[in-house]
Amino acid sequence: MGRTVVAAVEGAPDLTLVAALDAGDELAVLPSLRAQVAVDFTVPSATEANVHALIDAGVHAVVGTTGWTDESLERVRAHLTRAPGIGVVIAPNFALGAVLAMTFAATAARYFESAEVIELHHPDKVDAPSGTARHTAAAIAAARADAGLGAVPDATTTALEGARGADVDGVRVHSVRLRGLVAHEEILFGNPGEQFTIRHDSFDRVSFMPGVLLAVRAVGGRPGLTVGLDHLLDLG
Ligand SMILES: NC(=O)C1=CN([C@@H]2O[C@H](COP(=O)(O)OP(=O)(O)OC[C@H]3O[C@@H](n4cnc5c(N)ncnc54)[C@H](OP(=O)(O)O)[C@@H]3O)[C@@H](O)[C@H]2O)C=CC1
Ligand SMILES: O=C(O)C1=N[C@H](C(=O)O)C[C@H](O)C1
């Protein structure tokens, strides 16, 4: 993702790439770069520290790395109250279709008895389930709770461990890792006699770039923490 973002920024006439940092590079260099915005696609174990260092350096941040929790987001939010004017945008998925899929799933959730999420990725991905699938499942669960729906029906009491996937707020999430895939998500809804499926496919990492560039251009005008590209698309 880092290389793809570098190419996208270099190809954007209104943006200038001032640096590309990798693991092991000193973050102390940040103030001297005079960057206005930094984009972080690193690893879940590094991203939070990177964001705090960026805020301290007065640099707006656009973050695609997964692994964020309510607690780590809250720490960033608190830090930003001491850094007025600085914006941080964290999005589990920058592909426009994936953002729409999450939004449509949250809308559909209240109308179906059953809901499950399947995410499918390249086998080099380090985390499971994907940040997108977690976010999707949590949004479905919140919409179901708002609508007063109970637990999804599931009579399975005997299963090999993992066979029913991970449980995200009561919504099952299944992770597939397959050579040849990039990033894909299928959201399944069921009612008696019908199924409704929402599917999104990223076939190439360029699919994330319009969303990343949108966030890079917008973040300076959005002080504080924004979670999800849907807010920048007026969908949130
Ligand atoms: N929000 C979105 O739309 C998308 C999010 N992602 C997420 O972005 C993240 C990165 O994905 P991807 O590019 O595929 O992963 P890769 O493993 O290909 O790349 C991660 C890179 O980060 C480097 N790195 C590790 N630690 C640090 C650090 N402290 N500072 C700077 N760089 C570091 C790694 O270096 P080294 O190899 O030397 O350790 C590696 O080059 C993942 O969390 C993924 O889920 C991915 C695609 C889209
Ligand atoms: O690791 C990836 O590739 C991706 N990670 C993000 C996630 O975990 O949701 C976004 C997209 O699915 C690609």
Side-chain angles (χ1 to χ4, degrees), residues 1-2 21-24 40-44 46 50 63-67 91-95 122 124-127 205 208:
M1 284 299 290
L21 305 181
D22 208 339
D40 180 295
F41 281 94
T42 57
V43 286
N50 290 345
V63 182
T65 313
T66 48
N93 203 310
F94 282 101
H122 58 91
D124 302 318
K125 181 166 178 58
V126 295
D127 57 324
R205 288 171 168 242
F208 304 110

Side-chain angles (χ1 to χ4, degrees), residues 137-163:
I140 290 171
R144 288 176 65 91
D146 276 355
L149 297 186
V152 295
D154 182 359
T156 304
T157 52
T158 309
L160 202 59
E161 196 187 334

